[in-house]
């Protein structure tokens, strides 16, 4: 590498705020908060960039970059605000750098950018969803487009669980060779390409790149590949702390394309220049044994991700429902693993059986994976929503009755475990969309208590969460018949907790006593929630008084109600929430700075051609760490005639950031006046008083050349 000082691009400066902050603040300056926005209806084609918005509906979508020209011409000010990940990377225990054997998942499914490209969600009956986050360290979104930018929905879901999200930079075949000749021609060229990759990752909020060069390289190109990787890795580490750059085992140091299926002298120059290598899939146990003693691997076993193709293409160990055979060998030799295309359970089986097959696949691997504990501070909240469902629920009631898919809605996932006991008893936890408390699914705890046993215990969370001196606990469930349900929390003393890779401290069990409904904290909690018990759901509240403790496990204890025969049970868990009791006193903030931009008008199709359809982007200001989501409403405000009352609030949808695209909203014919309303819902589910919601009125009239009633 030359010592020439890096030429700084203004868009990579760490002092420049993110895209969303720049454009949001500027766009709202021209819309005083006390004034209505006025629009003249014109039915013209949308001028929004088709790369970021569906051309038919103007829905925001995620996309890739398909060529070197697109990469080099990429500008931050032209980035999609909607595809910026809004969830910061959560803490987990142990952190990535302390994990001796890591697990990477490469999500390759039918070319990518399917229904997950719709950033605000889509109507899908049986989508593919990943929810075993506790087992993995890195999530790679893979496609065969040159620059694969992970959709924000995936990055946000990964980040909630402390998992890195990385994109893919790939070149292939003859066209790929031409691309490499261009960007690896000299130092200026490879730095220009690397700078853009860094800018894209920093802008969209994801955590690095898989570099996959699958074409022959010339002598010049291969000579510059190592410096390119080193420069990209250094700049990623500087701009995105904690990020990774991983090389795929393909090209050799002489430029030929020859997959080695291991780290060796022919590809180590690339491994030495970045954070790790993802080996090809056709390895043998002899390959692993050889690598274990290879000099370049010493001290970096965790950086060697041995590839496993779940589709089992070629001559491989395991694959499909025998992928555990591959992991058993990989862990035997103390390497990390890269599991490629685990969506096999979805693509090659009945979609209706997806959850069952997904749980089976990961259960078979669980002996060779490592549970990572969320370690963020309170509050800790989960309603077990997996990011899809048959209906959308809020506090036990159906808010929207149709199938939906939106990974932004996925909450912290529990442990999906299956256990068979020596005495014939069994336990299983699984997601279920037949009923839910909040979101699209609840947690089913089911099993059998055998005769001679009085109870069984299901661990649903493994955590590393510091507790407050007074921790308020809310537990929502549907009481089953024939058994009793109780909550068991396991804690350890904070000062005892260290991690050297293998230790395990024995926790102490706490069985909290439920607070009475007339307890002051319970009454305060109930008032803030606005609703207490609905449709068979039971809410129980507890108060823990502990000092210097860490929450280690959350368990559901199921005990028999009487008798001594075998007893089967199933219990639906709706939500678990732990928060600092003092936060019940915290005031809720108001939505500010709501503005309306990028308005596009459509006519209704067919028999609805007389209808007026509004498309517009709403932006506002609110501290997003404080909210679970925003409810977006509209209504017709009170007109000039005082005898006509304002229309009712009508729900448009949910937003998981301070940005929402209204799509094809049918509004009254021109001239008209409507009010767009943003309601924040706190993380705890507390309803914010209506006086603190955000509002913006939009008036509109027909142009002289357009008549919306025609």
């Amino acid at each position: 590498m030359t010592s020439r000082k890096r030429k700084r691009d203004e868009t990579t400066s760490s002092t420049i705020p993110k895209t969303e902050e720049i454009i949001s603040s500027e766009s709202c300056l021209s819309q005083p908060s006390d004034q209505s926005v006025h629009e003249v209806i014109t039915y013209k084609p949308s001028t929004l960039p088709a790369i970021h918005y569906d051309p038919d509906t103007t829905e925001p979508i995620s996309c890739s970059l398909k060529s070197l020209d697109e990469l080099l011409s990429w500008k931050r000010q032209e980035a999609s605000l909607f595809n910026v990940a809004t969830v910061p990377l959560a803490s987990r225990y142990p952190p990535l750098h302390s994990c001796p054997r890591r697990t990477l998942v490469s999500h390759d499914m039918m070319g990518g950018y399917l229904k997950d490209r719709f950033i605000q969600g889509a109507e899908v009956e049986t989508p593919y969803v990943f929810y075993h986050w506790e087992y993995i360290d890195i999530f790679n979104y893979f496609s065969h487009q040159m620059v694969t930018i992970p959709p924000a929905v995936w990055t946000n879901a990964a980040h909630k669980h402390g998992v890195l999200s990385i994109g893919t930079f790939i070149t292939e075949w003859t066209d790929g060779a031409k691309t490499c000749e261009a960007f690896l021609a000299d130092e200026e060229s490879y730095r220009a390409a690397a700078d853009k990759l860094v800018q894209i990752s920093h802008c969209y909020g994801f955590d690095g790149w898989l570099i996959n060069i699958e074409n022959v390289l010339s002598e010049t190109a291969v000579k510059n590949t190592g410096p390119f990787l080193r420069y990209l890795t250094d700049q990623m580490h500087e701009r995105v702390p904690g990020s990774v750059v991983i090389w795929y085992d393909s090209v050799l140091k002489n430029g030929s394309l020859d997959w080695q299926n291991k780290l060796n002298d022919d590809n180590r120059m690339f491994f030495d220049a970045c954070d790790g290598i993802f080996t090809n899939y056709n390895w043998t146990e002899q390959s692993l044994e050889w690598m274990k003693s290879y000099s370049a691997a010493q001290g970096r076993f965790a950086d060697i991700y041995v590839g496993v193709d779940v589709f089992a293409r070629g001559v491989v160990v395991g694959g499909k429902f025998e992928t555990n055979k591959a992991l058993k060998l990989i862990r035997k030799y103390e390497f990390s693993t890269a599991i490629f295309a685990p969506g096999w359970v979805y693509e090659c089986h009945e979609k209706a059986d997806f959850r069952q097959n997904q749980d089976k696949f990961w259960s078979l691997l669980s002996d060779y994976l490592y549970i990572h504990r969320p370690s963020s501070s309170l509050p800790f909240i989960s309603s077990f929503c997996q990011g899809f469902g048959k209906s959308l629920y809020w506090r036990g009631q159906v808010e929207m009755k149709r199938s939906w898919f939106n990974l932004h809605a996925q909450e912290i996932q529990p442990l999906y475990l299956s256990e068979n006991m020596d005495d014939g008893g069994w336990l299983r936890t699984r997601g279920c969309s037949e009923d839910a408390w909040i979101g699209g699914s609840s947690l089913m705890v089911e099993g059998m208590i055998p005769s001679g046993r009085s109870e069984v215990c299901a661990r649903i969370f493994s955590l590393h969460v510091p507790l407050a001196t007074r921790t308020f606990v809310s537990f929502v469930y549907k009481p089953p018949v024939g058994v009793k349900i109780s909550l068991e929390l396991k804690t350890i003393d904070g000062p005892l907790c260290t991690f050297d890779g293998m230790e395990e401290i024995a926790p102490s069990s706490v069985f909290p006593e439920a607070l009475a409904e007339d307890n002051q904290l319970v009454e305060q909690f109930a008032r803030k929630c606005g609703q207490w018990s609905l449709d068979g759901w039971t809410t129980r509240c507890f108060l823990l008084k502990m000092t210097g403790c860490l929450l280690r496990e959350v368990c559901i204890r199921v005990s028999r109600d009487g008798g001594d025969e075998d007893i089967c049970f199933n219990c639906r868990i709706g939500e678990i929430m732990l928060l600092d009791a003092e936060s019940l006193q915290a005031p809720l903030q108001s939505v500010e700075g709501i503005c309306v931009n990028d308005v596009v008008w459509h006519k209704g199709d067919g028999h609805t051609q007389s209808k007026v359809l509004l498309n517009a982007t709403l932006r506002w200001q609110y501290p997003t760490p404080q909210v679970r989501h925003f409810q977006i409403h509209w209504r017709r405000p009170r007109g000039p005639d005082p005898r006509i009352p304002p229309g009712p609030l009508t729900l448009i949808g949910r937003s998981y950031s301070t940005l929402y695209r209204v799509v094809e909203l049918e509004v009254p014919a021109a001239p008209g006046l409507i009010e767009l309303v943003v309601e924040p819902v706190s993380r705890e589910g507390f309803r914010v008083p209506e006086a603190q919601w955000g509002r913006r009125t939009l008036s509109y009239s027909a142009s002289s050349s357009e008549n919306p009633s025609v």
Side-chain angles (χ1 to χ4, degrees):
M1 288 268 301
T2 178
S3 61
R4 185 179 66 153
K5 186 175 180 181
R6 174 175 180 258
K7 183 178 179 181
R8 298 211 174 249
D9 187 299
E10 64 192 32
T11 58
T12 62
S13 170
S14 58
T15 62
I16 299 294
K18 285 209 169 191
T19 312
E20 187 172 9
E21 298 167 357
I22 298 171
I23 300 182
S24 179
S25 60
E26 289 180 353
S27 61
C28 291
L29 291 177
S30 60
Q31 295 185 6
S33 59
D34 58 346
Q35 294 182 16
S36 173
V37 176
H38 182 75
E39 286 281 329
V40 176
I41 296 177
T42 56
Y43 296 110
K44 296 179 179 178
S46 169
T47 59
L48 295 171
I51 191 173
H52 298 317
Y53 296 88
D54 183 274
D56 295 325
T57 65
T58 79
E59 290 177 86
I61 55 176
S62 302
C63 68
S64 62
L65 303 178
K66 297 177 176 57
S67 68
L68 183 61
D69 286 343
E70 284 188 37
L71 173 64
L72 296 177
S73 62
W74 185 89
K75 296 182 177 61
R76 188 172 195 132
Q77 57 268 35
E78 297 173 2
S80 168
L81 296 184
F82 285 94
N83 203 41
V84 174
T86 55
V87 177
L89 182 65
S91 299
R92 62 181 349 205
Y93 184 89
L96 182 68
H97 63 79
S98 296
C99 295
R101 291 170 295 282
R102 303 167 189 157
T103 303
L104 179 152
V105 160
S106 189
H107 174 60
D108 170 41
M109 180 171 286
M110 298 181 283
Y113 300 104
L114 304 174
K115 292 295 185 179
D116 56 357
R117 75 184 185 279
F118 293 105
I119 298 170
Q120 294 185 168
E123 186 172 347
V124 189
E125 286 192 16
T126 52
Y128 173 79
V129 175
F130 182 79
Y131 49 81
H132 289 85
W133 296 102
E134 74 276 9
Y135 289 137
I136 79 167
D137 301 278
I138 302 171
F139 177 84
N140 165 234
Y141 196 82
F142 186 92
S143 82
H144 289 272
Q145 306 298 333
M146 197 183 87
V147 180
T148 302
I149 300 168
V153 294
W154 282 105
T155 299
N156 281 338
H159 281 183
K160 283 180 186 178
H161 295 86
V163 173
L164 300 187
S165 170
I166 66 173
T168 305
F169 177 79
I170 186 171
T171 62
E172 300 176 283
W173 316 118
T174 304
D175 287 344
K178 293 176 182 176
T179 296
C180 290
E181 290 307 302
F183 88 89
L184 293 171
D186 51 41
E187 181 182 1
E188 183 177 2
S189 299
Y190 72 67
R191 285 193 171 209
D195 283 343
K196 290 299 183 180
L197 293 175
V198 172
Q199 292 168 31
I200 289 168
S201 177
H202 182 259
C203 170
Y204 286 121
F206 60 95
D207 310 294
W209 296 96
L210 171 67
I211 306 299
N212 187 358
I213 306 296
E214 293 201 71
N215 48 256
V216 174
L217 295 178
S218 68
E219 182 179 350
T220 298
V222 76
K223 180 188 70 175
N224 286 322
T225 301
F228 160 71
L229 284 173
R230 188 172 294 109
Y231 178 76
L232 173 63
T233 303
D234 289 345
Q235 295 307 310
M236 282 299 306
H237 290 176
E238 178 183 338
R239 295 300 176 200
V240 184
S243 60
V244 294
V245 175
I246 296 173
W247 172 260
Y248 179 65
D249 157 34
S250 48
V251 175
L252 307 186
K253 63 183 180 182
N254 64 6
S256 63
L257 180 63
D258 189 359
W259 299 267
Q260 299 297 287
N261 306 296
K262 62 183 177 182
L263 173 68
N264 60 21
D265 284 341
D266 287 322
N267 57 27
R268 69 168 290 181
M269 63 173 281
F270 310 111
F271 175 69
D272 290 342
C274 64
D275 296 308
I277 187 169
F278 177 155
T279 77
N280 194 49
Y281 315 106
N282 304 116
W283 47 268
T284 63
E285 184 171 5
Q286 289 70 35
S287 309
L288 304 181
E289 187 175 15
W290 184 89
M291 263 199 305
K292 184 74 182 288
S293 59
Y294 179 47
S295 60
Q298 304 312 305
R300 292 191 68 187
F301 287 168
D303 299 332
I304 301 171
Y305 298 84
V306 179
V308 179
D309 179 9
V310 177
F311 278 78
R313 289 162 285 205
V315 181
V316 298
V317 175
K320 302 181 180 178
F321 281 126
E322 294 188 336
T323 298
N324 55 319
K325 293 181 178 179
L327 259 67
K328 182 178 181 179
L329 283 177
I330 292 167
R331 299 311 197 198
K332 175 182 175 181
Y333 292 95
E334 300 183 297
F335 294 117
S336 293
T337 186
I339 301 172
F340 187 75
W344 170 83
V345 299
Y346 179 85
E347 291 188 56
C348 296
H349 297 80
E350 290 294 329
K351 304 297 185 288
D353 298 331
F354 163 63
R355 271 197 181 104
Q356 178 183 339
N357 288 320
Q358 170 106 312
D359 291 347
K360 175 183 176 180
F361 178 84
W362 289 97
S363 177
L364 289 168
L365 300 187
S366 61
D367 286 345
Y368 310 105
L369 301 172
Y370 308 97
I371 292 176
H372 301 278
R373 297 181 169 99
S375 63
S376 300
S377 58
L378 294 178
F380 175 83
I381 301 164
S382 181
S383 64
F384 312 104
C385 178
Q386 293 177 328
F388 72 106
K390 296 179 178 179
S391 295
L392 185 63
Y393 292 83
W394 177 253
R395 300 189 67 79
Q397 292 187 324
V398 174
E399 192 173 82
M400 179 186 73
K401 190 170 180 58
R402 70 167 187 264
S403 296
W404 64 276
F405 167 51
N406 188 343
L407 278 172
H408 286 309
Q410 189 181 82
E411 301 211 355
I412 298 292
Q413 291 299 291
L415 303 172
Y416 295 103
L417 301 177
S418 180
E419 178 185 357
N420 293 314
M421 304 166 197
D422 293 339
D423 54 10
W426 60 274
L427 263 176
R428 183 172 63 149
T429 54
R430 61 180 176 87
C432 180
S433 293
E434 299 304 322
D435 191 8
W437 177 245
I438 290 175
S441 52
S442 52
L443 180 68
M444 288 296 292
V445 180
E446 53 195 10
M448 191 270 281
I449 306 175
S451 124
R453 182 188 286 261
S454 61
E455 60 185 19
V456 293
C457 186
R459 180 178 55 152
I460 62 170
F461 285 109
S462 185
L463 306 168
H464 187 78
V465 174
L467 295 174
T469 305
R470 297 169 73 242
T471 300
F472 183 84
V473 183
S474 167
F475 176 50
V476 180
Y477 67 103
K478 283 199 170 181
V481 176
V483 294
K484 295 177 181 177
I485 299 298
S486 59
L487 195 61
E488 178 180 355
L489 306 177
K490 295 187 178 182
T491 65
I492 60 170
D493 290 335
L496 295 178
C497 199
T498 59
F499 183 78
D500 62 9
M502 297 301 291
E503 63 80 38
E504 186 61 47
I505 302 168
S508 301
S509 291
V510 177
F511 301 92
E513 292 291 329
L515 299 172
E517 289 190 17
D518 60 356
N519 178 278
Q520 183 179 358
L521 282 176
V522 176
E523 290 181 340
Q524 186 177 21
F525 178 71
R527 283 196 303 272
K528 286 204 163 191
C529 290
Q531 210 112 47
W532 194 232
S533 178
L534 291 168
D535 297 332
W537 291 98
T538 293
T539 300
R540 298 178 71 187
C541 298
F542 311 88
L543 183 65
L544 300 178
K545 296 181 179 180
M546 313 184 82
T547 302
C549 285
L550 290 160
L551 179 62
R552 201 67 164 180
E553 293 181 0
V554 177
C555 304
I556 305 297
R557 189 164 289 275
V558 185
S559 55
R560 61 173 64 250
D561 213 2
D564 193 36
E565 69 282 358
D566 292 353
I567 183 168
C568 293
F569 67 88
N570 59 74
C571 177
R572 189 179 300 277
I573 312 298
E575 183 179 64
I576 180 78
M577 174 161 53
L578 297 97
L579 54 143
D580 188 333
E582 303 306 314
S583 68
L584 291 173
Q585 309 285 345
L588 298 170
Q589 297 196 34
S590 300
V591 174
E592 297 180 351
I594 185 170
C595 59
V596 182
N597 295 104
D598 298 332
V599 175
V600 177
W601 298 97
H602 287 164
K603 291 181 181 179
D605 294 328
H607 67 282
T608 63
Q609 271 206 342
S610 61
K611 304 290 178 63
V612 179
L613 305 178
L614 169 67
N615 302 270
T617 295
L618 303 183
R619 298 190 185 94
W620 58 92
Q621 296 167 8
Y622 200 88
T624 51
Q626 297 182 16
V627 293
R628 187 178 296 219
H629 62 265
F630 297 92
Q631 301 273 76
I632 313 300
H633 311 269
W634 82 279
R635 69 177 162 197
R636 177 179 50 76
R638 184 183 296 276
D641 187 340
R643 294 171 297 181
I644 302 177
L649 272 180
T650 301
L651 181 66
I652 300 174
R654 286 184 182 180
S655 174
Y656 297 87
S657 70
T658 56
L659 193 64
Y660 185 78
R661 182 73 184 166
V662 176
V663 176
E664 307 287 66
L665 175 64
E666 184 181 329
V667 297
L673 179 69
I674 64 170
E675 184 177 46
L676 297 164
V677 180
V678 177
E679 173 195 2
V681 177
S682 77
R683 285 181 65 180
E684 300 83 0
F686 300 156
R687 291 285 190 178
V688 176
E690 192 169 342
Q692 294 174 256
W693 300 0
R695 291 175 174 77
R696 173 68 71 169
T697 54
L698 171 68
S699 63
Y700 51 93
S701 57
S703 70
S704 56
S705 59
E706 303 266 7
N707 188 344
S709 63
V710 175

